[in-house]
Amino acid sequence: MIDYESFADIIGIILIIGMALYLLRKITRQSSKHALPPVAPFGYIETLKSLTGPDMPDFLRRCEERVGPIFQLRIPKSQPLIAIGDFQVCRQILNDKDSFKLKVGETTLLHKGGDDIFNVDGDFWKHSRKGFAPAFSQNHVRRMTIVTESMVEKWIKDVLEPCLSSNESFDVGEEMLNITFSILCEAAFEYNISKDEIEIFAKESIVGLKEFSKPPIPLKKFVGPFIPQVQRAHLAAERLLGICMKIIDSYEKLENPTAGTLIYNIMNNKHYKNDKERANDVMACMIAGSETTAYSLSFILLCLSRNQSDQEKLHLELIKLPFEDRSNSRFLDCVIKEGMRLHPVVAAGTFRVVSKDIVVKNKMRKGSSVLIPKGSRCMLVNNLMFRSADCFEEPHTFKPQRWENPSKLALDAFLPFGLGRRNCVGQALAKVEVKKVIVMLLSKYKFTVFDEGVTEFFITMKPVGVHLLATKREKITQE
């Protein structure tokens, strides 16, 4: 028989303890004088629309202007999403070995499920990263350079020279994407990708990512097969996976594959269970390594085309050097850094879940602090860091000279390849590509803007409809 009085006493004790713990936590929070980050003054609907649309970078900048570089975003989740544009806090989070990458949407469905190096932590990531790293070591930089030179020479012959002959412009975004896909596939996978395959991969990856990067919704697994957009996204995934399996099949037929390439390391990594897992990582590398480099190159060329004095300065500095030394040009480094700072392709940055409480000074309120609680989901926003007025004079202006004698603040705030254990594993190839393409084009050609086009955002910032005109320079020295 139930003793209701004892039962009531137990319930009362539990309630008293719970209330005491709640008050203790509240008092502790109040006494610590650390407030949570301010909430951006925009409603749920506007926030969701902006975060999932082409206006995300501008929206985040407007938020920063209103409430400072660290703020909460109104989204319908129990755990808030905190956007961070303070480079010191971003560096702290990226260097924390215990923070981990936040999974966004259901992007693993892009390769029809399973893990890949960019979407997981844990053992799979460790084994993939360990296998990838040697392929991008300095030992392979020379080979990457030769491949890049060959692909650029082919593009000049097949595309740029015909444009010169007919006095036609070229779409810089599309053409740089063609070049970087060709370089990546040859240098990393020993695969000669066709123009049709490039078009298919570029198109289908966008179709798939637009659907699979959406937040998961209840019952989508069951109703998805009846939704046209979901059906189309799964078809895109099949086509993408087909190209990646074709790359693996092509490699296995090579009589004398080059040791140490990325595909060599992937195929000889025994931690993969099967070729499907290998194809997942091939796809992840193709997506991560093509658009980022291509659109960085595109924006750099656009900036130089808009700023003729800087283009002329770079050209004169390049032709004073022997061809093999031109990639070491100091002003070339300045131009590349400034183009990537002003137009960060990965504008939204990266996402992390923090492993501990982080307390930082509130830049909008002197004498107060902001608490980023342990377990917070954080967006580390490149576009805010790279255009911070605290770190860069005239932050919205293309000024490559700022990198000739940069401040420590500028150097610390500029993180185009990330930081810490999850920094960009392929940055060696990306740097070779960007430098070689700029050197080979700016040494011999002059570029002007034919059509400004527009800048669009979906996962990456990209120039759309931007057309440049090239003219061949009359006098070339030191070739």
Side-chain angles (χ1 to χ4, degrees), residues 117 123-134 251 261-279 281:
I117 186 171
D123 289 340
F124 187 95
W125 174 81
K126 290 177 183 177
H127 295 315
S128 292
R129 176 82 184 202
K130 188 175 180 180
F132 277 34
Y251 175 81
T261 62
L262 181 58
I263 189 68
Y264 175 93
N265 291 344
I266 288 175
M267 297 306 296
N268 288 281
N269 188 336
K270 304 302 181 184
H271 290 98
Y272 292 109
K273 296 175 183 176
N274 49 50
D275 282 351
K276 166 62 171 58
E277 286 195 346
R278 292 183 175 90
D281 270 353

Side-chain angles (χ1 to χ4, degrees), residues 114-150:
D115 294 331
D116 67 66
I117 186 171
F118 297 112
N119 278 297
V120 297
D121 270 292
D123 289 340
F124 187 95
W125 174 81
K126 290 177 183 177
H127 295 315
S128 292
R129 176 82 184 202
K130 188 175 180 180
F132 277 34
F136 298 104
S137 67
Q138 287 301 312
N139 295 334
H140 291 281
V141 168
R142 178 58 186 161
R143 180 177 167 277
M144 296 175 191
T145 303
I146 293 171
V147 170
T148 302
E149 288 178 0
S150 173

Side-chain angles (χ1 to χ4, degrees), residues 35-102:
L36 292 174
V39 179
F42 301 99
Y44 288 110
I45 294 175
E46 185 175 359
T47 299
L48 280 174
K49 183 179 178 181
S50 298
L51 291 180
T52 56
D55 297 326
M56 180 199 272
D58 289 334
F59 172 74
L60 294 174
R61 199 177 304 135
R62 283 189 286 131
C63 292
E64 181 193 36
E65 290 170 356
R66 298 281 290 274
V67 294
I70 302 175
F71 50 89
Q72 297 183 66
L73 293 161
R74 294 183 195 271
I75 56 173
K77 286 274 188 180
S78 57
Q79 188 74 8
L81 178 63
I82 300 174
I84 301 175
D86 184 313
F87 77 89
Q88 292 173 319
V89 181
C90 290
R91 293 181 71 94
Q92 182 179 346
I93 293 171
L94 290 171
N95 278 321
D96 180 9
K97 295 186 296 183
D98 296 319
S99 70
F100 58 91
K101 192 168 183 178
L102 176 66

Side-chain angles (χ1 to χ4, degrees), residues 283-303:
M283 186 187 300
C285 289
M286 288 182 70
I287 291 173
S290 54
E291 282 199 358
T292 49
T293 306
Y295 296 140
S296 291
L297 274 166
S298 302
F299 281 122
I300 292 167
L301 288 170
L302 177 59
C303 286

